[in-house]
């Protein structure tokens, strides 16, 4: 029974790790109707910046995560304003390709600055765990889970209780109607992209704390975030969180009780099934709180 | 659905693009090489340069190890030139970055052979890259001395005539010193249950098969024997499985980044086996700086240790201490030195640059190296010898066999 509980707990914590980068991706996708393929590489930039702050200045990655929020919000505004906005009314493939090009450029910048080597952040609490009802609770994963909870419920509150949040939701649900109601949808898109990118930066710090990383690892990150976003329903923040947890628990039980080799087969099989049977995702979509 | 298809296409493009552009440029090229330089000491070599070409993983996933090879080869050929060169001629090392990419490495070796007309070749690292390179060098009948793969599936049964191994053990024997050492422990203290985590790769799969057989012979039950794919990043379930099985021996058959990740996960999940083995990683100089005390206790095989009495070991040890800031000869430094020694012995033995002659000479004659005197079989494989090393408080100590041991094993780890 302890093993089942441990497996469940490990899965939930891994789920938080999956949900954190997916929340920002889901928000941008839901509001702007674009798939931000650069989301992973932006998160990766967060990992490298945190690494530099940690190694060069001794700044703890958790403090770095807080610092990333305004920095990446600003980066998001710049990317949206300079790259995405000019093509926003063109076919979807335009934004996809321009973000693809941006991804390649940023990946190469990262490679030039930090080289192609694998990197790992190992603060004092790395590898530590807490006892919880007979199970082990990884400290860094628990922190990441906490960050995911804060991100989800913070964003949830923002969307539900503030004017800009309501404007984001309105824009996500029906852009034309939102415009007719007097909402500056361009500004909303800009802010949504900024928030999504800020969350990517924070997610990157968390992912860098848990996993080894290198300049092309963002492909794996963005694919998994895509999976979580689709499962949770595009634009559905709580859905992304729930899908992340579902994915983490499924992987944990499959890996522990079936075989580690079958995990990806089942998980991506599930993605195929969802896309065929319920393409809108398992939960309700469109930036819902 | 249209958006999904667009995303998939973009990810595909991204993967392809990143495979080709992820890493910075090479550190040397035939025209602008940062290669070995001629020394000014006595016996200065003269005449046309002998070009020794190689590719190495200087960036990308295998760069931690690749850099050890790079530094060792450069040092070796620098010293060789200072001491008269090869056949009295200076040696120019041309070593380019293959970015840990088999396709890039294959095209580099094609270029070395067909366009640059390199005189001699040294193999890259690791197995996936050599799997792409060996067919080229065999086809072109170029001697390739390499310590990048010990995979029996690549090196045996293919009628290889020009490929020579710089390691002193094949993949199936990689865990043999571990198992031999375990057998020296009192029977009631030996581990009973083993978990094996294996990267899906010809080399590590070879190690896995050998280890499973060796464990059976040592009466150890392999309760967990899991293979994971190269894109796996979360090993919690794997570690959890080993914990559930009460594994008191754990084997990490993976490359450096995965090993680091698995060790962190083992610590988080409080999986504390009596003994744990990693096939490659713990003599990489960054092991203890990356993992700190989490990396203590692990055991790994090496082929050269400073307590050996073979010629050149002390010099290599002294240089390693300065170059890598370690108190031991890193595994791949010993392997690289062995490769360079085998290649130059073949050329000296032949007295000329003739690929068939070099290959035949190596098969027919014992080759003195820092790894001992190697005797190659018809497939270019030397006889087995290995040493088991354990990381203790950030330092690596040889613990088996007793004649080369410079430390006492910590058990349970």
């Amino acid at each position: 029974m302890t093993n089942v509980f441990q497996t469940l707990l490990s899965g939930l914590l891994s789920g938080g790790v999956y949900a954190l980068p997916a929340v920002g991706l889901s928000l941008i996708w839901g509001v702007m109707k674009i798939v931000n393929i650069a989301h992973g590489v932006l998160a990766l930039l967060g990992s490298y910046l945190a690494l530099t702050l940690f190694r060069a200045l001794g700044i703890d990655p958790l403090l770095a995560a807080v610092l990333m929020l305004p920095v990446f919000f600003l980066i998001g505004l710049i990317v949206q304003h300079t790259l995405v906005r000019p093509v926003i009314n063109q076919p979807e493939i335009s934004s996809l390709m321009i973000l693809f090009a941006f991804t390649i450029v940023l990946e190469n910048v990262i490679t030039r600055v930090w080289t192609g080597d694998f990197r790992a952040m190992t603060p004092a609490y790395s590898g530590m765990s807490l006892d919880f009802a007979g199970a082990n609770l990884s400290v860094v994963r628990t922190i990441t889970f906490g960050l995911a909870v804060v991100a989800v419920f913070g964003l949830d509150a923002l969307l539900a209780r503030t004017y800009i949040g309501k404007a984001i939701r309105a824009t996500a649900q029906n852009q034309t109607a939102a415009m007719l109601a007097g909402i500056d949808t361009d500004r909303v898109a800009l802010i949504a992209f900024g928030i999504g990118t800020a969350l990517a930066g924070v997610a990157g710090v968390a992912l860098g704390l848990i996993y080894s990383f290198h300049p092309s690892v963002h492909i794996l990150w963005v694919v998994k975030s895509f999976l979580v976003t689709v499962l949770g329903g595009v634009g559905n923040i709580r859905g992304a969180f729930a899908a992340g947890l579902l994915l983490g628990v499924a992987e944990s039980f499959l890996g522990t009780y079936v075989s580690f080799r079958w995990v990806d087969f089942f998980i991506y099989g599930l993605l195929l099934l969802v896309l065929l049977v319920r393409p809108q995702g398992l939960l309700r979509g469109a930036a819902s709180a | 659905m249209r958006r999904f298809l667009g995303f998939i296409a973009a990810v595909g493009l991204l993967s392809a693009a990143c495979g080709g552009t992820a890493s910075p440029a090479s550190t040397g090229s035939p025209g602008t090489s940062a290669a070995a330089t001629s020394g000014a000491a006595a016996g200065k070599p003269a005449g046309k340069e002998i070009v020794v070409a190689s590719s190495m993983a200087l960036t990308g996933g295998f760069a931690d190890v690749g850099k050890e090879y790079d530094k060792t080869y450069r040092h070796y050929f620098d010293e060789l030139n200072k001491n008269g060169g090869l056949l009295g001629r200076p040696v120019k090392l041309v070593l380019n970055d293959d970015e840990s990419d088999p396709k890039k490495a294959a095209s580099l070796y094609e270029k070395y052979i067909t366009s640059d007309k390199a005189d001699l070749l040294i193999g890259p690292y690791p197995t996936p890259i050599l799997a792409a390179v060996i067919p080229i060098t065999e086809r072109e009948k170029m001697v390739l001395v390499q310590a990048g793969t010990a995979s029996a599936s690549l090196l045996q049964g293919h009628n290889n005539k020009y490929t020579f191994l710089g390691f002193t053990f094949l993949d199936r024997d990689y865990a043999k010193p571990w198992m031999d050492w375990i057998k020296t422990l009192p029977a009631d203290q030996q581990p009973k249950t083993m978990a094996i985590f294996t990267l899906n790769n010809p080399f590590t799969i070879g190690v896995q098969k050998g280890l499973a057989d060796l464990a059976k012979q040592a009466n150890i039950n392999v309760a967990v024997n899991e293979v994971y794919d190269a894109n796996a990043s979360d090993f919690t379930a794997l570690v959890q499985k080993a914990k559930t099985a009460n594994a008191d021996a754990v084997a990490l058959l993976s490359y450096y980044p995965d090993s680091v990740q698995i060790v962190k996960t083992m610590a988080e999940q409080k999986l504390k086996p009596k003994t744990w083995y990693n096939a490659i990683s713990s003599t990489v100089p960054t092991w203890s700086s990356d993992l700190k005390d989490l990396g203590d206790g692990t055991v790994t095989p090496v082929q050269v240790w400073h307590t050996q009495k073979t010629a050149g070991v002390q010099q290599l040890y002294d240089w390693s201490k300065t170059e890598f800031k370690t108190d031991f000869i890193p595994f791949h430094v010993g392997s690289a030195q062995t490769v360079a020694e085998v290649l130059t012995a073949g050329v000296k033995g032949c007295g000329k640059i003739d690929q068939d002659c070099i290959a035949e000479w190596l098969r027919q004659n014992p080759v003195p190296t820092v790894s001992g005197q190697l005797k190659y079989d018809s497939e270019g494989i030397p006889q087995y010898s290995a040493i088991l090393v354990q990381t203790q408080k950030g330092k690596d100590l040889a613990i088996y066999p007793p004649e080369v041991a410079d430390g006492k094993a910590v058990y349970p780890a």
Side-chain angles (χ1 to χ4, degrees):
Chain A
M1 198 58 196
T2 308
N3 289 333
V4 174
F5 182 58
Q6 176 70 68
T7 306
L8 176 68
L9 211 56
S10 298
L12 289 171
L13 294 184
S14 294
V17 177
Y18 297 147
L20 189 53
V23 168
L25 181 70
S26 187
L27 178 72
I28 293 171
W29 194 346
V31 173
M32 299 179 64
K33 315 299 179 204
I34 62 165
V35 182
N36 182 14
I37 200 163
H39 198 74
V41 79
L42 285 164
L44 186 63
L45 180 64
S47 308
Y48 278 102
L49 289 174
L51 177 79
T52 300
L53 290 172
F54 177 60
R55 290 201 174 167
L57 304 173
I59 294 176
D60 190 279
L62 294 176
L63 177 59
V66 177
L67 298 175
M68 293 303 160
L69 273 170
V71 172
F72 275 76
F73 181 77
L74 190 63
I75 291 172
L77 296 187
I78 294 167
V79 170
Q80 201 277 347
H81 189 73
T82 55
L83 299 178
V84 180
R85 195 172 184 172
V87 297
I88 201 73
N89 293 320
Q90 293 177 24
E92 286 164 7
I93 194 71
S94 300
S95 60
L96 200 62
M97 292 314 293
I98 206 159
L99 287 167
F100 166 72
F102 172 68
T103 300
I104 298 297
V105 169
L106 187 52
E107 182 185 314
N108 276 271
V109 168
I110 287 172
T111 306
R112 294 284 164 188
V113 175
W114 285 281
T115 78
D117 295 348
F118 272 76
R119 304 289 179 146
M121 272 189 283
T122 46
Y125 46 85
S126 181
M128 286 172 64
S129 61
L130 309 166
D131 285 325
F132 179 71
N136 296 314
L137 221 55
S138 155
V139 169
V140 288
R141 285 167 193 268
T142 305
I143 290 167
T144 305
F145 188 86
L147 284 173
V149 170
V150 169
V152 168
F153 289 98
L155 196 55
D156 211 39
L158 179 90
L159 291 173
R161 294 178 191 172
T162 64
Y163 172 78
I164 187 66
K166 287 172 184 170
I168 287 172
R169 287 168 59 201
T171 306
Q173 285 161 15
N174 190 325
Q175 188 175 358
T176 309
M179 284 173 75
L180 290 172
I183 293 171
D184 183 348
T185 54
D186 284 348
R187 187 166 165 269
V188 165
L190 185 70
I191 291 170
F193 203 96
I195 294 171
T197 307
L199 290 171
V202 174
V205 180
L207 292 167
L209 263 176
I210 294 172
Y211 304 126
S212 303
F213 50 96
H214 56 92
S216 52
V217 77
H218 63 91
I219 299 165
L220 294 177
W221 292 359
V222 82
V223 166
K224 200 141 250 181
S225 297
F226 174 81
L227 170 61
V228 171
T229 301
V230 169
L231 286 178
V234 173
N236 188 333
I237 307 307
R238 289 182 198 171
F241 186 61
L245 297 188
L246 178 69
L247 189 67
V249 170
E251 280 191 3
S252 187
F253 275 92
L254 282 168
T256 306
Y257 293 103
V258 183
S259 170
F260 202 72
R261 285 198 81 173
W262 287 99
V263 168
D264 279 356
F265 174 84
F266 280 110
I267 295 304
Y268 288 97
L270 176 65
L271 173 65
L272 277 179
L273 198 67
V274 169
L275 284 167
L276 287 170
V277 177
R278 198 175 159 80
Q280 72 273 34
L282 294 176
L283 300 170
R284 188 166 54 92
S288 50
Chain B
M1 185 58 83
R2 213 157 30 112
R3 192 171 296 135
F4 165 70
L5 291 173
F7 176 82
I8 293 300
V11 168
L13 279 170
L14 191 56
S15 303
C18 292
T21 62
S23 303
S26 61
T27 58
S29 67
T32 60
S33 173
T37 53
S38 298
K44 190 174 179 181
K48 193 184 171 200
E49 284 176 326
I50 294 174
V51 175
V52 178
S54 178
S55 88
M56 196 47 68
L58 300 179
T59 56
F62 306 120
D64 282 308
V65 173
K67 286 172 188 167
E68 293 178 40
Y69 281 99
D70 175 56
K71 286 179 180 176
T72 310
Y73 290 140
R74 290 186 191 287
H75 171 70
Y76 179 87
F77 289 110
D78 275 350
E79 291 298 310
L80 189 69
N81 281 328
K82 284 177 190 168
N83 289 285
L86 187 57
L87 304 178
R89 293 161 58 187
V91 176
K92 177 183 176 183
L93 175 66
V94 175
L95 193 149
N96 289 284
D97 181 11
D98 59 34
E99 301 168 9
S100 304
D101 179 359
K103 295 192 294 293
K104 174 99 180 177
S107 62
L108 279 170
Y109 279 85
E110 292 273 14
K111 180 172 168 287
Y112 293 152
I113 297 167
T114 59
S115 168
D116 300 345
K117 308 287 184 194
D119 296 298
L120 299 166
L121 296 176
I122 283 175
Y125 173 88
T127 295
I129 297 179
L130 273 149
V133 169
I134 289 174
I136 296 168
T137 52
E138 283 288 331
R139 184 190 71 212
E140 299 293 338
K141 299 185 176 176
M142 289 288 289
V143 168
L144 185 80
V145 187
Q146 60 85 19
T149 183
S151 173
S153 66
L154 284 179
L155 301 175
Q156 292 184 314
H158 297 286
N159 201 25
N160 289 343
K161 299 279 187 213
Y162 299 91
T163 307
F164 291 85
L165 179 62
F167 291 134
T168 55
F169 36 89
L170 284 168
D171 49 6
R172 61 170 172 262
D173 293 325
Y174 243 75
K176 187 170 170 9
W178 185 35
M179 289 293 103
D180 287 346
W181 167 69
I182 282 175
K183 286 179 195 166
T184 67
L185 299 169
D188 60 334
Q189 293 177 28
Q190 290 177 13
K192 302 285 183 274
T193 307
M194 181 180 289
I196 306 175
F197 307 149
T198 310
L199 169 70
N200 191 5
N201 162 299
F203 159 65
T204 40
I205 292 288
V207 181
Q208 178 206 32
K209 285 177 181 165
L211 176 55
D213 290 342
L214 291 165
K216 196 174 173 184
Q217 290 165 22
N219 294 318
I220 299 173
N221 172 40
V222 180
V224 178
N225 195 358
E226 287 273 359
V227 176
Y228 68 89
D229 289 322
N231 63 354
S233 56
D234 194 328
F235 299 99
T236 309
L238 211 57
V239 169
Q240 192 55 38
K241 204 162 185 170
K243 203 174 172 200
T244 304
N246 291 319
D248 50 6
V250 172
L252 316 185
L253 311 185
S254 50
Y255 290 116
Y256 184 80
D258 293 349
S259 295
V260 168
Q261 195 62 40
I262 294 171
V263 171
K264 285 166 77 176
T265 309
M266 283 171 60
E268 286 171 1
Q269 295 300 312
K270 296 188 177 170
L271 173 62
K272 291 179 180 171
K274 285 180 177 174
T275 177
W276 59 290
Y277 165 95
N278 70 83
I280 296 170
S281 308
S282 59
T283 69
V284 173
T286 51
W287 175 262
S288 289
S289 60
D290 276 353
L291 285 166
K292 301 186 175 67
D293 58 339
L294 300 183
D296 277 350
T298 192
V299 294
T300 198
V302 298
Q303 70 183 62
V304 180
W305 204 248
H306 56 271
T307 50
Q308 281 174 299
K309 303 296 180 200
T310 48
V313 164
Q314 189 59 46
Q315 291 93 320
L316 189 61
Y317 177 49
D318 292 340
W319 175 72
S320 294
K321 282 199 288 190
T322 310
E323 185 64 40
F324 299 102
K325 312 285 184 255
T326 57
D327 201 24
F328 57 89
I329 300 170
F331 176 82
H332 296 94
V333 170
S335 312
Q337 179 82 6
T338 305
V339 164
E341 288 175 342
V342 169
L343 183 66
T344 51
V347 174
K348 284 178 184 171
C350 255
K352 58 184 176 180
I353 309 287
D354 178 321
Q355 304 297 320
D356 287 301
C357 175
I358 295 167
E360 191 56 25
W361 191 91
L362 289 174
R363 275 192 290 271
Q364 297 300 330
N365 295 279
V367 185
T369 70
V370 284
S371 301
Q373 196 164 73
L374 305 186
K375 291 176 185 167
Y376 282 99
D377 67 13
S378 60
E379 293 183 292
I381 315 284
Q383 78 279 19
Y384 167 86
S385 71
I387 298 161
L388 190 68
V389 166
Q390 185 175 44
T391 307
Q392 297 177 8
K393 295 182 179 172
K395 286 183 70 175
D396 279 18
L397 298 170
I399 59 168
Y400 183 85
E403 59 268 25
V404 294
D406 60 347
K408 199 176 168 191
V410 173
Y411 184 85

